[in-house]
Amino acid sequence: DIQMTQSPSTLSASVGDRVTITCRASQSIRSWLAWYQQKPGKAPNLLIYKASTLERGVPSRFSGSGSGTEFTLTISSLQPDDFATYYCQQYISYPYTFGQGTKLQIK
Amino acid sequence: QLQLQESGPGLVKPSETLSLTCTVSGGSISSSGYNWGWIRQPPGKGLEWIGHIHHTGSTNYNPSLKSRVTISVDTSKNQFSLNLRSVTAADTAMYYCARQYGGPSDSWGQGTLVTVSS
């Protein structure tokens, strides 16, 4: 299985901050990476796929980059609605695997 | 708008079979290019991909669960189902069904909590 490792596990930030979450794969996944946002008690919501393509309806303050084994999710200016847990997922090979999550909390 | 809804027992006894159904509305489960999958999340923990099925019946499973899991599809009812056999407390989780397009899950059910306990 491909292992996905996110850092940090927890991130404290303020409204208006620019934040970056990193996801590393144990082997190259080219650009076959997705990012999800999950709020408490809710299903995850797809934000980005193919490493950098924004899902329809997702605000442009979210962006993704990277290829191979290292990827980043950036939120350019944090909004109150963005405080949530974020997961990366590889889908180059089965089983699809997720990172352990990054909890973005209010400073 | 596509909607997915999980249904099934919220409590299953150890060693028994967990059975869930996902009903798809607002779109056809036979739509080209999609897989229909199951993902679970133990309380307070991360996400685990269980497997998925194409409307033709082709499946892929997580090897960690493969010996115990079956995913099936009923196109006439626009539903797909999950069976997980010989459950233990470690299978207690929120179970989500989702549509998967080329890998990412772009539409999710609200989830259903299944507790394994006697």
Side-chain angles (χ1 to χ4, degrees):
Chain A
D1 299 4
I2 297 175
Q3 305 303 313
M4 306 299 292
T5 304
Q6 291 180 230
S7 60
S9 295
T10 306
L11 178 57
S12 297
S14 301
V15 172
D17 284 353
R18 178 184 179 91
V19 299
T20 297
I21 299 168
T22 297
C23 177
R24 290 186 173 86
S26 59
Q27 63 190 73
S28 176
I29 59 170
R30 293 192 284 170
S31 294
W32 302 113
L33 183 99
W35 288 99
Y36 300 87
Q37 176 193 69
Q38 186 179 33
K39 296 181 179 178
K42 300 292 187 182
N45 181 49
L46 178 64
L47 299 175
I48 286 168
Y49 60 94
K50 211 170 178 186
S52 61
T53 302
L54 210 61
E55 173 72 347
R56 202 178 324 175
V58 174
S60 60
R61 63 181 180 272
F62 290 91
S63 63
S65 64
S67 67
T69 62
E70 188 154 339
F71 302 85
T72 59
L73 171 69
T74 299
I75 310 173
S76 61
S77 178
L78 270 175
Q79 300 303 301
D81 192 48
D82 300 338
F83 292 96
T85 300
Y86 293 84
Y87 292 94
C88 60
Q89 179 205 13
Q90 66 81 17
Y91 53 96
I92 194 172
S93 67
Y94 296 116
Y96 297 156
T97 47
F98 294 87
Q100 81 279 14
T102 294
K103 184 175 182 179
L104 178 54
Q105 58 188 25
I106 300 173
K107 185 185 287 183
Chain B
Q1 182 177 350
L2 190 76
Q3 291 189 314
L4 294 88
Q5 178 69 58
E6 304 89 350
S7 59
L11 181 64
V12 181
K13 290 182 168 55
S15 79
E16 296 190 343
T17 296
L18 179 161
S19 296
L20 297 174
T21 295
C22 183
T23 301
V24 179
S25 58
S28 173
I29 204 167
S30 299
S31 298
S32 177
Y34 294 107
N35 287 310
W36 303 89
W38 292 94
I39 295 150
R40 70 180 183 177
Q41 184 172 37
K45 296 189 177 180
L47 300 162
E48 180 180 31
W49 181 82
I50 298 171
H52 65 206
I53 190 165
H54 189 261
H55 69 85
T56 57
S58 171
T59 54
N60 286 97
Y61 298 131
N62 192 321
S64 69
L65 299 169
K66 189 172 184 177
S67 63
R68 299 193 291 131
V69 69
T70 301
I71 298 175
S72 57
V73 64
D74 186 338
T75 56
S76 67
K77 294 182 179 179
N78 228 30
Q79 295 176 335
F80 61 106
S81 299
L82 169 71
N83 274 1
L84 182 64
R85 298 174 290 278
S86 304
V87 297
T88 69
D91 295 309
T92 293
M94 185 72 78
Y95 285 78
Y96 295 102
C97 61
R99 184 180 75 173
Q100 298 172 357
Y101 183 62
S105 298
D106 64 353
S107 188
W108 296 64
Q110 64 186 21
T112 187
L113 179 64
V114 179
T115 301
V116 178
S117 175
S118 55

